[in-house]
Amino acid sequence: MSDPRARRPPSGDGDGTRAVRAGLPDPVKHEPTVPGPVFAAHYHLPGEPTGPYTYGRDENPTWTHLERAIGELEAPGEDGVETFVFASGMAAISSVLFSHLRTGDTVVLPSDGYQALPLLGAQLEAYGIEVRTAPTGGDAQLGVLDGAKLLWIETPSNPGLDVCDIRRLVSEAHARGALVAVDNTLATPLGQRPLELGADFSVASGTKQLTGHGDVLLGYVSGRDAEAMGAVRRWRKIAGAIPGPMEAWLAHRSLATLQLRVERQNANALAVAEALRDWPEELGVRYPGLPGDASHTIASQQMRRYGCVVSFALPTRARAERFLDALRLVDDATSFGGVRSTAERRGRWGGDAVPEGFIRMSVGAEDPEDLVADVLSALDESAR
């Protein structure tokens, strides 16, 4: 087995080249060009426990390949960036919060972020940590930042798709002594690079567009500071929130098509958003890449691609449910980022402050003409 620690950087600067080659080991004659998953609970370890691989909860060569690959996408050409993979996006989020906050600390969370954040907030409060919240839009979190130990940013926010100015929030937070973590799930590293914008941590659910096929649960944390990342790694070891080798291998394999998927899905999302914008009813369409969207100006300053999620609101719950039932290409399912389009009435989960008729649509890689036709047909049918 070749040494997975050997870093083989991509031979070009393009996103496609980088995604296809990220994390691959140096070639060794007669060995596979892409290593398979390593299934090991323990390793041969005579003598003192030294070396990179000792026990399966701590290290795995398949993780190493994937972590190298994600690091190369999050911070191309930069040494010193570490990435740790987790069993899910929530495990990755929890690792940053619980490894860096103590009783008496204060954390600032978005009030309009992922629906599981309130559950995390309640747990943090049970540990004696003060939790403050403010919306993403308008950089409102700055208003509650004084005295905080950590600022958690989610931009674009899920599901409302508001955007905040990462550079500004990072600068203000660091000036006040706070760490900054950015949930980069919706953007992916090909859409936005939080570390380049000054953040201490870039965190994401790899379940979504990063892997893109709806068949892997995964999360990761990337960061530059060795001490801060050491605490994250220690939390992973204590909690045992580790991905299986097969999941890690599938995720790494999926990265090879990331640029292709992102380009197609982002273009499709814009086409769907434009069609919804031009529909005769006012739907309150949100998509950061849509000129005229409330988030577009800031998004265009820090994002290279705008994501695959479009949101809009139908006037009633019943209308939204008729719309979803009338769709033929788009599945009624949660999550986002997959190559197959999905949509859901987000209010059915009860954790988001959205209208009953609010629709979150994840635009896939189907032909844009087919997707737009399906959405418009369902809108028309649901209005009858």
Side-chain angles (χ1 to χ4, degrees):
M1 181 177 67
S2 61
D3 184 354
R5 294 167 294 165
R7 185 171 185 173
R8 185 188 183 190
S11 58
D13 293 329
D15 285 340
T17 300
R18 188 173 291 111
V20 166
R21 297 190 172 276
L24 295 181
D26 289 328
V28 176
K29 189 174 183 178
H30 304 309
E31 288 198 6
T33 56
V34 180
V38 175
F39 299 97
H42 53 263
Y43 306 86
H44 288 295
L45 197 65
E48 294 300 314
T50 59
Y53 302 107
T54 58
Y55 185 61
R57 190 182 67 247
D58 299 330
E59 303 98 358
N60 180 288
T62 311
W63 302 352
T64 303
H65 290 303
L66 176 59
E67 289 169 343
R68 292 285 195 192
I70 294 172
E72 289 168 12
L73 297 176
E74 284 281 351
E78 186 174 335
D79 293 328
V81 170
E82 293 184 281
T83 298
F84 301 129
V85 290
F86 291 81
S88 69
M90 282 305 300
I93 291 170
S94 298
S95 75
V96 174
L97 294 170
F98 290 116
S99 67
H100 285 85
L101 296 171
R102 304 287 184 270
T103 299
D105 287 342
T106 297
V107 62
V108 176
L109 303 178
S111 59
D112 54 347
Y114 182 52
Q115 64 164 358
L117 285 181
L119 297 176
L120 270 176
Q123 190 61 54
L124 291 167
E125 289 176 332
Y127 292 154
I129 296 163
E130 180 185 355
V131 177
R132 302 174 189 163
T133 62
T136 298
D139 298 344
Q141 288 174 293
L142 288 177
V144 294
L145 186 57
D146 282 348
K149 174 73 175 297
L150 191 148
L151 169 63
W152 189 273
I153 295 171
E154 184 179 303
T155 181
S157 62
N158 172 27
L161 303 181
D162 274 322
V163 170
C164 61
D165 187 334
I166 296 176
R167 292 183 184 90
R168 182 186 179 201
L169 267 67
V170 166
S171 177
E172 291 282 351
H174 286 172
R176 304 181 203 188
L179 295 168
V180 180
V182 177
D183 186 328
N184 203 38
T185 302
L186 199 146
T188 81
L190 269 60
Q192 182 172 265
R193 293 182 183 138
L195 299 182
E196 290 185 357
L197 298 171
D200 300 287
F201 305 101
S202 181
V203 187
S205 167
T207 309
K208 311 298 194 297
Q209 195 174 23
L210 189 82
T211 55
H213 292 81
D215 53 9
V216 173
L217 285 173
L218 195 88
Y220 72 85
V221 180
S222 293
R224 290 191 187 89
D225 186 83
E227 183 177 353
M229 288 301 292
V232 170
R233 179 174 184 148
R234 181 174 179 271
W235 189 93
R236 182 178 69 174
K237 176 182 176 73
I238 293 169
I242 59 172
M246 191 64 188
E247 285 79 7
W249 182 82
L250 283 170
H252 194 181
R253 185 195 65 170
S254 298
L255 288 184
T257 61
L258 178 61
Q259 189 265 350
L260 298 172
R261 291 185 282 107
V262 163
E263 291 288 355
R264 177 62 172 244
Q265 290 176 255
N266 282 215
N268 281 357
L270 180 59
V272 168
E274 289 173 338
L276 290 167
R277 178 199 59 194
D278 296 338
W279 184 252
E281 293 178 89
E282 174 54 51
L283 302 177
V285 181
R286 296 300 307 273
Y287 181 65
L290 193 64
D293 184 273
S295 294
H296 182 70
T297 298
I298 297 173
S300 64
Q301 294 169 1
Q302 63 192 24
M303 301 183 72
R304 297 179 301 130
R305 299 174 177 90
Y306 298 103
C308 62
V309 176
V310 177
S311 70
F312 58 100
L314 294 169
T316 65
R317 171 176 177 169
R319 173 76 185 281
E321 290 175 347
R322 291 197 302 272
F323 167 77
L324 293 168
D325 188 58
L327 291 166
R328 297 294 175 261
L329 283 179
V330 183
D331 294 330
D332 189 345
T334 194
S335 196
F336 60 85
V339 291
R340 290 171 289 279
S341 295
T342 62
E344 67 172 340
R345 190 182 67 80
R346 192 62 185 167
R348 65 181 175 174
W349 297 102
D352 296 307
V354 295
E356 283 292 306
F358 183 93
I359 301 292
R360 184 184 73 180
M361 181 175 178
S362 171
V363 182
E366 299 91 348
D367 287 313
E369 298 84 1
D370 293 337
L371 276 176
V372 169
D374 191 38
V375 169
L376 297 184
S377 175
L379 281 173
D380 182 58
E381 185 175 333
S382 67
R384 296 174 189 171

